[in-house]
């Protein structure tokens, strides 16, 4: 009996190590809940860019140019980047001289946003950073010309619900660009990644999107494009107050005040951090 317990204890140590590696490193905390995911991104925020090693040439060729080619009919697109992290997509677009649009970028990790704010400071008010969750986007239906969510859906508690949110705020005729994890690591995240064919069916049959294309992109990800059917005029250069819903009551009646924003409907105040990030999560 004692011998069996001893063997079990010795065998258990590496097993615990493997389980912790899977829970915290491989799947980045997603099976431990949203707080753990965000905590890990907060911890790694300053090292994230060095780990990812994106280079501006590759980001232009494989990300910014393909996006802009698909948006060529929209003169100044209004873009929403969900789970922007350290501002990868805004930076790639804003560095292209012909891009004339405005970008709203949100994330739930405040420290990732702090890094994004430093990198995006030269672009002034062409990009607005919002500390907010992807699960309930604070914007009306049918708003954005382009909605993106790159390398992030698999870290959401319910990726399918987030997909619905992304599509909800996309305007008819607007473009969705997301990534789908693939390869061995995708298989280690059951319930959080989709086989490509299944994702295609969800986008086409459940969410009623058209022109769904799933293309080779990076080793671990494919890029997925889709269009929301219908057409509506591009919203043009909107101001944030025209589209931003109060995080407390949902009214689109936010006005800028000293040091932040105020809702005319419920009087909620939303502060803006020293780095310009709107602290919508704390209100
Ligand atoms: C792998 S990073 C991707 C960042 C960026 N899109 C990129 O391609 O470099 C995943 C990001 O998703 C964010 N995230 C995870 N869950 C979130 C949620 N529920 N709401 C908003 N952001 C979330 C994390 O904070 C992190 O910044």
């Amino acid at each position: 009996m004692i011998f069996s317990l001893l063997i079990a204890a010795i065998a258990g140590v590496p097993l615990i190590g493997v389980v912790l590696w899977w829970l915290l490193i491989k799947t980045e905390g997603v099976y431990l809940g949203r707080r753990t995911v965000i905590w890990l991104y907060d911890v790694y925020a300053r090292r994230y860019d060095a780990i990812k090693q994106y280079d501006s040439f590759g980001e232009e060729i494989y990300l910014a140019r393909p996006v802009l080619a698909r948006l060529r009919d929209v003169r100044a697109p209004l873009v929403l980047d969900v789970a922007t992290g350290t501002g990868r997509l805004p930076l790639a677009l804003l560095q292209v001289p012909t891009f004339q649009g405005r970008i709203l970028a949100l994330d739930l990790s405040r420290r990732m946003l702090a890094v994004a704010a430093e990198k995006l400071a030269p672009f002034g008010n062409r990009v607005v950073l919002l500390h907010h969750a992807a699960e309930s986007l604070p914007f009306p239906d049918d708003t954005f010309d382009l909605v993106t969510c790159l390398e992030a859906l698999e870290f959401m508690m319910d990726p399918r619900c987030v997909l619905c949110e992304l599509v909800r705020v996309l305007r008819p005729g607007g473009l969705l660009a997301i990534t789908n994890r693939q390869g061995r690591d995708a298989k280690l995240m059951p319930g959080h990644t989709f086989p490509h064919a299944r994702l295609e069916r969800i986008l086409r049959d459940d969410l009623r999107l058209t022109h769904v294309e799933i293309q080779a992109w990076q080793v671990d990800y494919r890029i997925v494009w889709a269009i929301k059917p219908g057409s509506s005029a591009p919203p043009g250069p909107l101001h944030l107050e025209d589209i931003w819903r109060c995080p407390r009551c949902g009214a689109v009646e936010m006005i800028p005040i000293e040091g932040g924003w105020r809702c005319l409907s419920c009087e909620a105040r939303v502060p803006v951090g020293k780095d310009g990030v709107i602290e919508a999560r704390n209100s």
Side-chain angles (χ1 to χ4, degrees):
M1 174 70 177
I2 290 175
F3 183 69
S4 313
L5 280 175
L6 203 62
I7 297 282
I10 292 168
V13 172
L15 187 68
I16 289 168
V18 169
V19 170
L20 284 177
W21 166 84
W22 176 72
L23 282 174
L24 294 173
I25 311 287
K26 262 302 149 197
T27 59
E28 300 186 18
V30 75
Y31 296 101
L32 298 174
R34 193 169 80 170
R35 273 175 179 227
T36 311
V37 173
I38 300 308
W39 173 73
L40 284 170
Y41 275 103
D42 275 339
V43 168
Y44 278 98
R46 291 274 154 201
R47 270 177 283 166
Y48 180 82
D49 285 355
I51 294 169
K52 286 288 192 172
Q53 295 192 318
Y54 300 131
D55 73 282
S56 53
F57 178 73
E59 291 295 278
E60 178 175 345
I61 300 299
Y62 296 110
L63 181 57
R65 295 284 172 191
V67 165
L68 294 177
R70 286 178 162 77
L71 284 178
R72 59 182 165 266
D73 296 335
V74 187
R75 200 183 58 80
L78 186 64
V79 178
L80 175 67
D81 185 33
V82 175
T84 195
T86 58
R88 173 193 191 178
L89 185 276
L91 192 65
L93 290 182
L94 288 162
Q95 281 178 334
V96 176
T98 51
F99 176 70
Q100 295 180 45
R102 282 196 66 195
I103 305 169
L104 274 145
L106 67 82
D107 201 285
L108 204 45
S109 160
R110 185 61 181 84
R111 292 195 181 164
M112 293 289 272
L113 286 173
V115 177
E118 283 168 21
K119 289 161 60 182
L120 296 167
F123 300 100
N125 66 2
R126 293 181 66 197
V127 54
V128 173
L129 297 173
L130 208 59
H131 187 207
H132 202 284
E135 284 79 2
S136 60
L137 298 171
F139 307 106
D141 300 355
D142 304 338
T143 298
F144 296 92
D145 296 302
L146 167 69
V147 177
T148 55
C149 185
L150 303 179
E151 302 191 16
L153 270 177
E154 66 271 31
F155 303 117
M156 311 278 168
M157 297 305 108
D158 188 341
R160 217 181 145 125
C161 276
V162 173
L163 266 178
C164 292
E165 262 306 86
L166 304 180
V167 173
R168 179 183 70 75
V169 298
L170 191 62
R171 77 167 169 81
L175 174 69
L176 177 76
I178 59 172
T179 53
N180 195 35
R181 189 122 183 189
Q182 63 178 1
R184 201 189 52 167
D185 284 358
K187 296 194 179 78
L188 292 176
M189 303 183 78
H192 288 269
T193 54
F194 305 96
H196 299 313
R198 176 144 174 263
L199 179 61
E200 188 170 344
R201 280 199 301 277
I202 292 173
L203 294 173
R204 217 185 32 221
D205 302 340
D206 302 352
L207 297 174
R208 305 266 163 218
L209 300 180
T210 64
H211 301 81
V212 179
E213 282 177 66
I214 302 188
Q215 293 181 337
W217 194 51
Q218 296 181 350
V219 178
D220 291 332
Y221 289 96
R222 292 214 178 167
I223 193 157
V224 182
W225 309 96
I227 305 273
K228 186 162 172 178
S231 69
S232 65
L238 282 180
H239 299 289
L240 187 55
E241 49 267 49
D242 297 331
I243 54 168
W244 183 31
R245 279 186 168 161
C246 169
R248 191 203 281 166
C249 74
V252 186
E253 293 200 50
M254 301 299 288
I255 54 156
I257 55 166
E258 177 84 26
W261 291 76
R262 182 165 69 87
C263 174
L264 287 177
S265 177
C266 75
E267 294 294 322
R269 280 165 189 267
V270 180
V272 175
K274 283 203 177 88
D275 55 4
V277 174
I278 301 178
E279 312 279 6
R281 195 198 170 192
N282 299 336
S283 54

